[in-house]
Amino acid sequence: TTRRFLKTGAALAVALTLAACGKKEEAAPAAAASAADAPPARVYVVGTDAAYAPFESQNEKGEIVGFDIDVVSAVAQKAGIQVKFVNTPWEGMFNTVAQGDRDLLVSAITITDERKQTMDFSAPYFDAQQLIAVKEDSKVAKFEDLKTLKVGVQTGTTGDEVVTKLIGKESTAIKRFESTPLALKELESGGVDAVVADNGVVIHYVANNAGSKFKTVSDTSFTPEQYGIVVKKGNAELLEKINKGLADIKADGTYDKIYTSWFGAAPAAAAASK
Ligand code: ARG
């Protein structure tokens, strides 16, 4: 019945086209006629701060790649929409979606109650937690130990939030950077004693920059975080497409494949079922 419906629909489209043209022509093949008449497909612009490997980064060719990119691309495919990724600085990123410069944001963005006031989030697609990076010879053993040290964070991230809560907003001991790699570079040069950022990014950086001589320190006081894809507040139509696509890629194994390709192992059962 679907086929028949499509055929009927196509025939109708051809008939309408011919009627509109007012010409008597031989009916063109249905597919060609409808493709030519269709309005250009809408391309949804996805903002991402591509300095956050393995979630989003730029490769040697300048292409934006990463786990988040693969997830949203797969979601878009399921949802039948086209997307284009645009490198967007983290600071001010949330405004770009409010103002309509970006339709979607994917940037390892933690779903928080505060952010929910000004934007809408998809269902969670990734579990995360803060993690501390220090030099190999550091005595830091827990988060509390950072209270009297200089700490680097990326401005406005959840890492910034937890460190600000620990050390105090006015403290000059917190050094804020526009990207997490910049904060980690500062750790390497000794400008800060520690960096607090998302575990996936810290682990990836430490593993890929052996020369930096970093180690990681975890702390059970960090609350679990979950990443979500952002749409403009109230854009229920797009949000529904995204959530449907997300559910589809989780159900059919696509999500697990993407996860394994970036993290080397299948997601924990608990995370996958979310
Ligand atoms: N998950 C953290 C947050 O939402 C950090 C995200 C930073 N993402 C990025 N692409 N720089 O605050």
Side-chain angles (χ1 to χ4, degrees), residues 25-268:
E25 278 174 16
E26 242 192 89
S34 56
D37 295 340
R42 157 124 213 232
V43 178
Y44 290 87
V45 180
V46 188
T48 186
D49 171 28
Y52 216 63
F55 297 96
E56 45 266 338
S57 62
Q58 273 181 293
N59 65 16
E60 317 78 52
K61 291 188 218 150
E63 298 157 340
I64 299 176
V65 297
F67 172 79
D68 281 354
I69 308 310
D70 286 354
V71 166
V72 170
S73 300
V75 164
Q77 202 181 348
K78 294 279 185 207
I81 62 170
Q82 279 188 50
V83 289
K84 172 178 121 188
F85 297 91
V86 177
N87 201 0
T88 306
W90 175 258
E91 275 179 84
M93 175 185 279
F94 299 158
N95 284 333
T96 66
V97 82
Q99 286 161 1
D101 296 334
R102 305 283 184 272
D103 300 299
L104 291 161
L105 301 175
V106 70
S107 214
I109 302 170
T110 301
I111 304 168
T112 71
D113 287 338
E114 195 194 338
R115 290 173 182 171
K116 276 197 220 160
Q117 313 282 307
T118 54
M119 52 196 139
D120 285 341
F121 283 94
S122 70
Y125 70 90
F126 193 85
D127 292 333
Q129 195 154 29
Q130 294 305 303
L131 187 63
I132 304 161
V134 288
K135 286 286 190 71
E136 262 167 25
D137 57 6
S138 166
K139 291 195 178 63
V140 167
K142 55 182 188 310
F143 185 46
E144 276 271 318
D145 295 344
L146 303 189
K147 235 174 170 158
T148 52
L149 300 176
K150 272 202 203 127
V151 186
V153 295
Q154 183 178 7
T155 310
T157 56
T158 45
D160 186 355
E161 283 172 26
V162 289
V163 171
T164 299
K165 219 167 148 192
L166 179 79
I167 305 186
K169 201 173 163 79
E170 310 305 330
S171 173
T172 52
I174 306 174
K175 281 203 178 182
R176 296 185 174 87
F177 297 86
E178 68 180 45
S179 80
T180 295
L182 282 177
L184 290 160
K185 283 265 175 294
E186 188 77 358
L187 176 61
E188 191 173 339
S189 64
V192 293
D193 305 303
V195 166
V196 179
D198 294 8
N199 53 350
V201 171
V202 171
I203 289 166
H204 181 269
Y205 190 93
V206 173
N208 289 282
N209 295 274
S212 307
K213 301 207 179 309
F214 290 166
K215 66 177 179 188
T216 62
V217 177
S218 55
D219 192 300
T220 50
S221 74
F222 292 131
T223 49
E225 301 182 22
Q226 292 184 311
Y227 298 163
I229 299 161
V230 166
V231 302
K232 184 176 182 165
K233 186 140 196 75
N235 192 350
E237 197 190 329
L238 183 55
L239 189 61
E240 200 190 309
K241 287 190 177 127
I242 298 300
N243 276 332
K244 172 86 170 48
L246 207 47
D248 286 352
I249 67 163
K250 283 180 185 177
D252 78 355
T254 304
Y255 177 90
D256 283 7
K257 259 193 217 138
I258 296 171
Y259 189 105
T260 308
S261 80
W262 287 100
F263 300 103

